[in-house]
């Protein structure tokens, strides 16, 4: 299935969802406090903009991107190095997988103790599972690198740094981008959850969802949730765009 | 045996090597090489033939010192002072190119790594691209090339930095007859110009005749040399070349011996 076809199907599905929603809300099958009409949600948006919606979106996005940046800056080089020195990886493989099994949200109290209450803790908590998933993907991409092609690196006398940056990084690139895609959803999920339930965050989209809900501003609550969803979709689209630009050289499986 | 002339100094000496793969149920015995010796003279165009699965690639990889024999020794000529003086071209050309680089960058990359000046890299790249008929493909990525184009790219890339010994494992399998004749001629020209020693692994008789100055047929297990022929006819060789029929018959007879 090609890309535009997939997109138009997704849009059709969303449109159908809105129609069902409108019908259910109009027929009063469920009370308006549980499900407001789509129109009331749309009407709520200008009000939200007059309040501090944009600042909240900006803050949430900044936290997500900060967490992803940390995850990439540490996860990718470390993953490539571990994929290159498989001996080291074998030693830390099991502890790493054990760490990945611990839900990140369960660790939040620990982060608060170690890092302290504040912005740093939110970003660190979101960075943590993002880093682990990017690390694991990068290592597996680097381990799966074409062995025969690595002969070229040895043949031409490439040092460790050049082998990693000029050969292994490309070999692992599809896996790295896959890892980033998963990390994006982890980071967004955790930032919003932390903003929502932990009062220490000044603001953010999660906080505004929570506040709208607790003051019974239900259309605004839905509006903020939908905006969070749109942010997720857009971040995903950015990763897809990166994949298409950075992996132009990959044989296109769909064409075969 | 007469004393070796200076021109007959070996490029590679394989001395009493042994190599076995872990025994598998589907191919019976794992022993491939046992007490096997071979010499490839410097400047020769050595053709290695044998049936599929006879261990040609394993021998090629031992010659390139990618694989280490479990016993015995593989010695390179003292002229080969760098690792990159000897190159092995994999039978799957995609293993010998970087798919993330364009055709032109693939050819230039090794020269860049070996410290060639930019202008020399550019000249050599242009020369190879025209020699191997790839002029229009400079900006293409390997994934978009046909099988034959990819083989030509892999060849051009591994010859770019003028290695002294080039071991080519089935390098023409995806080329059609006309292109193959051109590429073989180009390869011969290049080998003479850059004074390369060529080792060609193939199971195609006409490729062997078109390029070889010496042709060794191996077979059986453990592997041994079944026939060892020298071809002195001048290049380029075609069916009309004097002695072509004689060479062809000798080679075919040698291959047939291996099947008995």
């Amino acid at each position: 299935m090609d890309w535009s076809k997939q997109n138009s199907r997704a849009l059709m599905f969303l449109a159908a969802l809105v129609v069902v929603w409108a019908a259910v809300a109009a027929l009063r099958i469920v009370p308006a406090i549980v499900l407001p009409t789509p129109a009331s949600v749309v009407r709520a948006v200008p009000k939200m903009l007059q309040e501090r919606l944009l600042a909240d979106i900006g803050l949430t996005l900044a936290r997500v991107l900060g967490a992803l940046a940390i995850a990439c800056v540490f996860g990718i080089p470390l993953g490539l190095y571990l994929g290159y020195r498989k001996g080291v990886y074998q030693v830390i493989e099991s502890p790493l997988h054990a760490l990945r099994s611990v839900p990140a949200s369960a660790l939040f109290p620990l982060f608060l103790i170690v890092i302290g209450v504040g912005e740093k803790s939110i970003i660190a908590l979101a960075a943590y599972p993002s880093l682990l998933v990017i690390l694991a993907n990068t290592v597996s991409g680097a381990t799966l690198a074409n062995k025969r092609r690595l002969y070229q690196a040895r043949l031409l006398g490439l040092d460790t740094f050049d082998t990693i940056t000029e050969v292994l990084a490309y070999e692992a690139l599809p896996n790295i981008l896959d890892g980033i895609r998963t990390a994006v959803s982890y980071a967004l999920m955790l930032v919003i959850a932390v903003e929502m339930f932990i009062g220490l965050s000044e603001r953010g989209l999660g906080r505004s969802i929570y506040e709208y809900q607790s003051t019974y501003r239900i259309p605004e609550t839905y509006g903020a949730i939908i905006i969070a969803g749109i942010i997720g979709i857009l971040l995903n689209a950015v990763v897809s765009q990166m994949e298409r630009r950075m992996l132009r050289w990959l044989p296109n499986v769909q064409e075969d | 045996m007469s004393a070796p002339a200076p021109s007959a100094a070996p490029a590679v000496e394989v001395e009493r090597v042994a190599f076995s793969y872990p025994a598998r149920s589907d191919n019976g015995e794992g022993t491939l090489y046992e007490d096997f010796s071979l010499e490839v003279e410097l400047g020769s165009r050595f053709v290695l033939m044998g049936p599929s699965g006879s261990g040609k690639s394993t021998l090629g990889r031992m010659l390139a010192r990618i694989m280490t024999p479990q016993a015995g020794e593989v010695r390179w000529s003292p002229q080969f002072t760098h690792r990159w003086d000897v190159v092995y071209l994999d039978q799957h050309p995609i293993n010998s190119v970087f798919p993330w680089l364009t055709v032109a960058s693939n050819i230039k990359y090794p020269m860049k790594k070996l410290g060639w000046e930019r202008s020399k890299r550019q000249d050599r790249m242009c020369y190879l691209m025209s020699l191997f008929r790839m002029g229009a493909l400079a900006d293409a990525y390997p994934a978009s090339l046909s099988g034959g184009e990819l083989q030509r790219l892999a060849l051009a890339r591994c010859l770019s930095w003028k290695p002294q010994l080039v071991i080519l494992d089935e390098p023409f399998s995806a080329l059609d007859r006309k292109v193959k004749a051109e590429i073989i001629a180009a390869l011969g020209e290049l080998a003479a110009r850059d004074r390369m020693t060529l080792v060609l692994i193939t199971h195609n008789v006409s490729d062997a005749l078109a390029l070889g100055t010496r042709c060794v047929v191996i077979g059986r297990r453990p592997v041994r040399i079944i026939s060892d022929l020298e071809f002195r006819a001048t290049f380029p060789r075609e069916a009309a070349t004097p002695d072509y029929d004689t060479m062809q018959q000798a080679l075919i007879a040698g291959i047939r011996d291996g099947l008995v």
Side-chain angles (χ1 to χ4, degrees):
Chain A
M1 192 163 31
D2 71 283
W3 206 71
S4 60
K5 205 169 169 186
Q6 211 171 344
N7 266 4
S8 63
R9 284 196 186 182
L11 279 177
M12 272 160 62
F13 174 75
L14 282 177
L17 204 65
V18 172
V19 169
V20 172
W21 170 17
V24 170
L27 294 171
R28 305 268 161 123
I29 298 169
V30 288
I33 190 105
V34 176
L35 190 69
T37 61
S40 68
V41 172
V42 172
R43 277 196 305 274
V45 174
K47 258 185 290 171
M48 294 163 72
L49 284 170
Q50 277 168 16
E51 290 163 21
R52 38 174 309 169
L53 180 66
L54 288 179
D56 284 337
I57 292 174
L59 204 52
T60 299
L61 261 181
R63 286 167 179 156
V64 169
L65 294 178
L68 286 172
I70 292 171
C72 289
V73 164
F74 290 98
I76 296 171
L78 186 61
L80 289 172
Y81 184 77
L82 292 176
Y84 182 69
R85 294 248 179 270
K86 293 188 191 78
V88 183
Y89 181 61
Q90 276 161 6
V91 174
I92 66 159
E93 192 177 5
S94 334
L96 196 68
H97 284 298
L99 272 182
R100 282 188 66 193
S101 313
V102 179
S105 47
L107 292 171
F108 194 57
L110 277 184
F111 276 79
L112 288 184
I113 295 169
V114 176
I115 301 176
V117 177
E119 203 65 52
K120 275 192 267 176
S121 277
I122 303 173
I123 293 174
L125 185 71
Y128 168 76
S130 309
L131 191 147
L132 287 184
V133 73
I134 288 176
L135 181 67
N137 270 270
T138 307
V139 172
S140 79
T143 325
L144 291 173
N146 185 321
K147 304 286 176 301
R148 299 276 170 101
R149 217 174 271 141
L150 288 172
Y151 157 66
Q152 297 276 323
R154 288 198 306 279
L155 180 68
L156 299 171
L158 266 63
D159 56 26
T160 302
F161 184 80
D162 281 1
T163 303
I164 288 177
T165 55
E166 293 179 13
V167 184
L168 225 45
Y170 289 96
E171 293 276 354
L173 195 54
N175 292 63
I176 294 174
L177 288 165
D178 256 1
I180 292 176
R181 183 186 291 284
T182 314
V184 163
S185 63
Y186 281 3
L188 184 60
M189 186 169 70
L190 277 158
V191 165
I192 289 198
V194 171
E195 286 172 347
M196 205 177 276
F197 294 114
I198 304 189
L200 55 92
S201 73
E202 293 302 318
R203 291 285 322 182
L205 202 51
R207 192 73 199 158
S208 67
I209 293 171
Y210 179 76
E211 281 179 359
Y212 284 133
Q213 183 270 331
S214 56
T215 50
Y216 298 101
R217 296 174 66 183
I218 303 306
E220 284 84 352
T221 311
Y222 273 82
I225 292 170
I226 290 168
I227 287 164
I230 291 170
I231 290 175
I233 291 169
L234 289 179
L235 286 174
N236 235 309
V238 169
V239 179
S240 297
Q241 193 59 36
M242 276 165 60
E243 274 178 341
R244 255 174 307 160
R245 293 179 71 103
M246 297 171 83
L247 299 177
R248 259 177 317 170
W249 50 270
L250 258 199
N252 188 353
V253 190
Q254 290 174 341
E255 269 175 12
D256 281 290
Chain B
M1 227 163 63
S2 60
S7 62
V12 203
E13 284 173 279
V14 175
E15 200 181 286
R16 309 192 65 174
V17 298
F19 194 91
S20 9
Y21 283 102
R24 285 192 312 215
S25 53
D26 57 333
N27 70 351
E29 216 180 329
T31 302
L32 200 51
Y33 287 92
E34 207 175 83
D35 204 17
F36 181 86
S37 301
L38 181 76
E39 268 185 30
V40 177
E41 296 86 14
L42 266 176
S44 64
R45 299 182 191 175
F46 184 100
V47 180
L48 182 65
M49 297 190 78
S52 302
S54 58
K56 300 189 294 293
S57 294
T58 305
L59 183 54
R61 297 169 70 80
M62 285 198 288
L63 292 175
R65 291 206 197 143
I66 298 173
M67 278 182 164
T68 314
Q70 286 140 2
E73 223 186 323
V74 175
R75 276 192 300 274
W76 284 352
S77 158
Q79 283 187 24
F80 307 160
T81 46
H82 302 108
R83 184 82 184 83
W84 56 81
D85 285 332
V86 179
V87 62
Y88 169 82
L89 184 67
D90 199 278
Q91 57 180 318
H92 303 291
I94 194 68
N95 291 342
S96 300
V97 304
F98 288 166
W100 50 89
L101 297 180
T102 60
V103 166
S105 308
N106 254 299
I107 298 174
K108 284 189 285 186
Y109 181 85
M111 296 184 274
K112 189 176 168 194
K113 286 290 127 185
L114 299 181
W116 288 38
E117 272 171 46
R118 178 182 291 270
S119 64
K120 282 189 173 171
R121 302 200 297 254
Q122 190 66 26
D123 290 351
R124 179 78 173 167
M125 186 268 290
C126 292
Y127 169 68
L128 288 169
M129 296 260 287
S130 72
L131 195 63
F132 288 105
R133 309 277 183 272
M134 320 200 57
L137 300 169
D139 297 322
Y141 284 100
S144 67
L145 302 180
S146 71
E149 289 164 346
L150 189 60
Q151 278 191 331
R152 283 181 276 157
L153 169 61
L155 263 173
R157 176 176 157 136
C158 85
L159 299 169
S160 64
W161 66 90
K162 303 187 181 178
Q164 299 190 54
L165 169 61
V166 181
I167 301 154
L168 305 171
D169 196 348
E170 300 279 5
F172 313 130
S173 59
L175 302 179
D176 63 56
R177 187 188 284 242
K178 186 174 161 288
V179 176
K180 185 151 76 177
E182 286 178 5
I183 297 308
I184 287 178
L187 194 59
E189 183 189 321
L190 209 58
R193 245 177 83 135
D194 300 338
R195 299 184 179 187
M196 292 184 307
T197 305
L198 283 183
V199 173
L200 173 70
I201 299 173
T202 183
H203 51 237
N204 184 312
V205 171
S206 54
D207 293 355
L209 291 173
L211 208 61
T213 55
R214 184 176 163 208
C215 187
V216 164
V217 182
I218 59 167
R220 305 206 180 118
R221 289 196 179 193
V223 172
R224 59 183 189 78
I225 293 174
I226 288 165
S227 80
D228 188 344
L229 304 163
E230 241 175 279
F231 298 140
R232 294 178 192 278
T234 50
F235 298 98
R237 293 187 194 138
E238 292 151 4
T241 309
D243 292 341
Y244 192 90
D245 279 347
T246 327
M247 297 190 309
Q248 191 172 26
Q249 276 159 22
L251 191 51
I252 290 172
I255 294 167
R256 203 169 287 142
D257 285 348
L259 298 174
V260 180

